[in-house]
Amino acid sequence: MKKLTRIDLIRTLEQELNYKRFVHTLAVAGTAASLAMCYGADIEKAEIAGLLHDCAKCLDVRKMQRLCEKAGLEISPYERSSGSLLHSKAGSVLAAEKYGVTDPDLLNAIRYHTTGRPGMSLLEKIIFVADYIEPGRFSAKNLPLVRKMAFADIDEALLKILYDTLVYLNSTGNTVDPMTQKTYDYYKRLDEESNIYD
């Protein structure tokens, strides 16, 4: 499969996504590139991961399920009927099959941008955080604080996003994907261990 140029990728996504999702996608890509500059990560990879993070978001849930099943990805009961959860896994498959992405780190950044996972790479953290703080987001609690944290200490920003997400989901009675809780517990433990001698 021929690798798409940056411009071709953007043009293709403009056709595949609804307008609101496309604007969000561009904002995440720009924010991810800025975070990559801040932390010395690969800027091109961060931008591509940002562009592709929601590439499956506008598919219907059944199509997301089929993509994951075909690729042999396990679908949890929490993901099965939730496009807001399942699009990440489906997106990692679509990024490989349709957009020719072969880099495992880039695919993982797409796959885990919604729930996170224990032991995330820097690129995975960048996409997770960029998706939360991009300029078009307004409603999340503590967003101004998290935006400042993101460019000062990405791990602290990650932990704060996970905590605030869990608080929000629990307060609204929405289902919490176990991976989100597992990711929070993992990074909370690392944070406590790193501060034990302070």
Side-chain angles (χ1 to χ4, degrees):
M1 175 182 287
K2 182 184 173 188
K3 184 181 176 186
L4 292 174
T5 67
R6 176 178 179 269
I7 296 301
D8 287 339
L9 177 56
I10 292 169
R11 283 181 177 147
T12 302
L13 288 167
E14 187 175 15
Q15 301 303 312
E16 297 291 322
L17 303 174
N18 65 44
Y19 186 70
K20 182 179 177 183
R21 186 60 46 190
F22 179 65
V23 170
H24 165 71
T25 290
L26 294 180
V28 172
T31 304
S34 297
L35 286 167
M37 292 177 206
C38 179
Y39 291 104
D42 186 310
I43 298 167
E44 183 183 7
K45 276 175 62 171
E47 185 182 41
I48 291 169
L51 287 170
L52 289 173
H53 83 286
D54 271 355
C55 66
K57 185 80 174 190
C58 294
L59 300 178
D60 66 71
V61 174
R62 187 65 199 122
K63 190 160 187 180
M64 292 182 198
Q65 291 170 355
R66 284 196 300 269
L67 275 170
C68 292
E69 288 163 359
K70 183 181 169 190
L73 293 181
E74 185 179 333
I75 302 173
S76 75
Y78 303 94
E79 295 168 326
R80 183 153 293 281
S81 60
S82 172
S84 61
L85 290 173
L86 193 56
H87 81 277
S88 302
K89 278 185 179 175
S92 69
V93 177
L94 200 59
E97 291 184 357
K98 181 170 184 171
Y99 298 101
V101 176
T102 56
D103 185 315
D105 192 26
L106 209 154
L107 293 172
N108 279 338
I110 297 167
R111 182 174 176 177
Y112 296 105
H113 81 267
T114 303
T115 61
R117 71 176 177 116
M120 294 166 78
S121 70
L122 177 57
L123 180 62
E124 290 174 70
K125 293 173 185 177
I126 283 171
I127 301 306
F128 182 90
V129 172
D131 186 36
Y132 194 87
I133 69 165
E134 63 95 343
R137 300 285 203 194
F138 300 105
S139 59
K141 187 178 178 185
N142 301 313
L143 198 48
L145 171 63
V146 175
R147 284 181 170 137
K148 286 180 185 176
M149 293 170 76
F151 289 92
D153 186 331
I154 199 160
D155 290 316
E156 287 297 318
L158 177 72
L159 189 59
K160 182 66 175 160
I161 291 168
L162 288 163
Y163 175 79
D164 286 351
T165 299
L166 289 168
V167 168
Y168 170 77
L169 290 173
N170 285 315
S171 71
T172 57
N174 287 321
T175 301
V176 176
D177 188 295
M179 183 60 82
T180 305
Q181 184 67 58
K182 190 184 295 185
T183 305
Y184 172 75
D185 293 342
Y186 175 86
Y187 284 102
K188 180 65 175 169
R189 186 173 66 252
L190 285 185
D191 184 61
E192 289 169 350
E193 289 171 356
S194 68
N195 293 322
I196 196 167
Y197 297 112
D198 287 356

